[in-house]
Amino acid sequence: MISVVIPLYNKERRVANTLRTVLSQTYQDFEIVIINDGSTDGSIAEVEKFSEPRIRLITQPNAGVSAARNRGIEEAHGEHIALLDADDEWHPDYLATQASLVREYSECCVFAVNYKFMNPNGTETSTIIRNLPFTGEHGILSNYFEVASASHPPLWTSAVVVRKTAIQSIGGFPVGIKSGEDLLTWARLACRYEIAYSTTPLATFNVEGYDVREKPKRVPAENDIVGAELEKLAEKFHPAGIRKYISHWLKMRSSVYMRLGMRRESISEAWTGLRFNPANYKLLAFIALNLLPSKLQPFR
């Protein structure tokens, strides 16, 4: 049995559709553990419309998505945890494919498939995944950081199944981090466990609110916990490509600062990123853009 863990916070408009994509799976040996993280809209009422004995709804005071996922993992009865956000979707063969990966790559503890982006206008966009170490439709992702630093994230929350013992061995998802908590979780797992990966896109990421053309809604945390923890992983495990990945993370932070008009912070992140990967030429472009006169700034 696979335990599907869904954190729920104010997804009244989408959670029913998400649940329908789970219930329509061709692989039916699963339970659904929904952690209502203090929703203030009609999310609970939408869930309660389903008369499905495999759904367990647990309510807790709002504590953030990481705490909700960790509670769901703790409550799960299955050996394998399928993570799913309350506004994303699975294709009908998603769980069947994950179960096949679990059987074929029994030495692995993390199992992932490719996914697509659903844009606000209703169109789908494919991911760009580079540097895979295998040919064919599936294999072991032995160079996670090299792939992740040159691609869209190869591991994305709603397209990952993980052994319960493995995710608990790293302390679950880090609590208290508002951005990048999932990326840090995958990095911690990738340093310790092997990852089985399928190139077939079988999940859909609803990207509403993630448009790079929009002004970011949140300022990056002044104390970069994710960056600091990635450095610790580099020092302890020395995985190939992790310095490029840290530079990639700092590039994302620099980009957000730049789009918010916080030039000094953007330049600082870019310079730090170049220390980890001098060949990350986009960081040089970010520095140049930040030095342009205000009237020539691309983000104003």
Side-chain angles (χ1 to χ4, degrees), residues 216-231:
K217 298 177 176 62
R218 182 187 300 153
V219 178
E222 184 177 352
N223 181 18
D224 183 12
I225 298 175
V226 173
E229 290 298 316
L230 289 173
E231 288 189 51

Side-chain angles (χ1 to χ4, degrees), residues 197-274:
Y197 185 78
S198 169
T199 60
T200 305
L202 293 171
T204 302
F205 177 15
N206 171 40
V207 298
E208 185 177 1
Y210 291 89
D211 194 335
V212 71
R213 295 166 296 182
E214 297 178 355
K215 189 171 182 177
K217 298 177 176 62
R218 182 187 300 153
V219 178
E222 184 177 352
N223 181 18
D224 183 12
I225 298 175
V226 173
E229 290 298 316
L230 289 173
E231 288 189 51
K232 290 179 182 178
L233 292 175
E235 293 171 3
K236 182 175 182 180
F237 296 99
H238 308 287
I242 194 169
R243 290 185 65 84
K244 288 182 180 180
Y245 186 68
I246 295 172
S247 180
H248 183 68
W249 165 254
L250 292 166
K251 181 186 72 176
M252 290 190 286
R253 284 174 56 86
S254 178
S255 172
V256 173
Y257 277 129
M258 181 172 62
R259 286 181 282 139
L260 288 170
M262 302 173 69
R263 298 193 195 186
R264 182 178 300 176
E265 292 82 356
S266 179
I267 291 173
S268 176
E269 296 292 318
W271 277 122
T272 305
L274 286 169

Side-chain angles (χ1 to χ4, degrees), residues 161-216:
V161 167
V162 60
R163 291 191 195 276
K164 183 174 180 176
T165 52
I167 189 70
Q168 289 183 324
S169 75
I170 64 165
F173 287 85
V175 177
I177 299 176
K178 294 184 178 180
S179 178
E181 78 289 337
D182 50 347
L183 300 182
L184 178 55
T185 302
W186 313 142
R188 286 172 169 170
L189 288 168
C191 285
R192 294 169 172 87
Y193 302 105
E194 289 194 310
I195 302 167
Y197 185 78
S198 169
T199 60
T200 305
L202 293 171
T204 302
F205 177 15
N206 171 40
V207 298
E208 185 177 1
Y210 291 89
D211 194 335
V212 71
R213 295 166 296 182
E214 297 178 355
K215 189 171 182 177

Side-chain angles (χ1 to χ4, degrees), residues 53-300:
R54 289 176 295 179
I55 295 177
R56 284 190 286 142
L57 177 63
I58 300 167
T59 295
Q60 66 179 26
N62 181 258
V65 65
S66 287
R69 287 175 182 151
N70 291 342
R71 175 72 184 280
I73 292 166
E74 180 184 346
E75 298 282 350
H77 295 152
E79 178 186 353
H80 293 89
I81 309 296
L83 299 158
L84 177 62
D85 285 347
D87 55 354
D88 294 325
E89 301 174 23
W90 284 343
H91 295 207
D93 289 333
Y94 173 78
L95 283 180
T97 300
Q98 289 283 29
S100 178
L101 289 176
V102 169
R103 288 191 298 270
E104 184 162 352
Y105 299 95
S106 58
E107 72 274 27
C108 295
C109 288
V110 184
F111 310 88
V113 305
N114 200 356
Y115 56 96
K116 289 190 176 183
F117 301 104
M118 177 62 73
N119 303 306
N121 63 6
T123 61
E124 278 192 334
T125 305
S126 297
T127 58
I128 298 172
I129 305 294
R130 302 185 178 96
N131 301 332
L132 287 174
F134 58 85
T135 57
E137 294 184 359
H138 51 80
I140 293 180
L141 189 64
S142 55
N143 60 339
Y144 170 78
F145 293 103
E146 293 175 337
V147 174
S149 61
S151 313
H152 286 116
L155 269 62
W156 161 64
T157 309
S158 294
V160 171
V161 167
V162 60
R163 291 191 195 276
K164 183 174 180 176
T165 52
I167 189 70
Q168 289 183 324
S169 75
I170 64 165
F173 287 85
V175 177
I177 299 176
K178 294 184 178 180
S179 178
E181 78 289 337
D182 50 347
L183 300 182
L184 178 55
T185 302
W186 313 142
R188 286 172 169 170
L189 288 168
C191 285
R192 294 169 172 87
Y193 302 105
E194 289 194 310
I195 302 167
Y197 185 78
S198 169
T199 60
T200 305
L202 293 171
T204 302
F205 177 15
N206 171 40
V207 298
E208 185 177 1
Y210 291 89
D211 194 335
V212 71
R213 295 166 296 182
E214 297 178 355
K215 189 171 182 177
K217 298 177 176 62
R218 182 187 300 153
V219 178
E222 184 177 352
N223 181 18
D224 183 12
I225 298 175
V226 173
E229 290 298 316
L230 289 173
E231 288 189 51
K232 290 179 182 178
L233 292 175
E235 293 171 3
K236 182 175 182 180
F237 296 99
H238 308 287
I242 194 169
R243 290 185 65 84
K244 288 182 180 180
Y245 186 68
I246 295 172
S247 180
H248 183 68
W249 165 254
L250 292 166
K251 181 186 72 176
M252 290 190 286
R253 284 174 56 86
S254 178
S255 172
V256 173
Y257 277 129
M258 181 172 62
R259 286 181 282 139
L260 288 170
M262 302 173 69
R263 298 193 195 186
R264 182 178 300 176
E265 292 82 356
S266 179
I267 291 173
S268 176
E269 296 292 318
W271 277 122
T272 305
L274 286 169
R275 176 166 62 86
F276 287 95
N277 180 19
N280 194 341
Y281 299 118
K282 286 188 177 180
L283 292 173
L284 292 173
F286 285 2
I287 292 171
L289 287 171
N290 278 295
L291 293 175
L292 289 173
S294 297
K295 63 181 180 180
L296 298 178
Q297 286 286 313
F299 302 101
R300 287 186 294 165

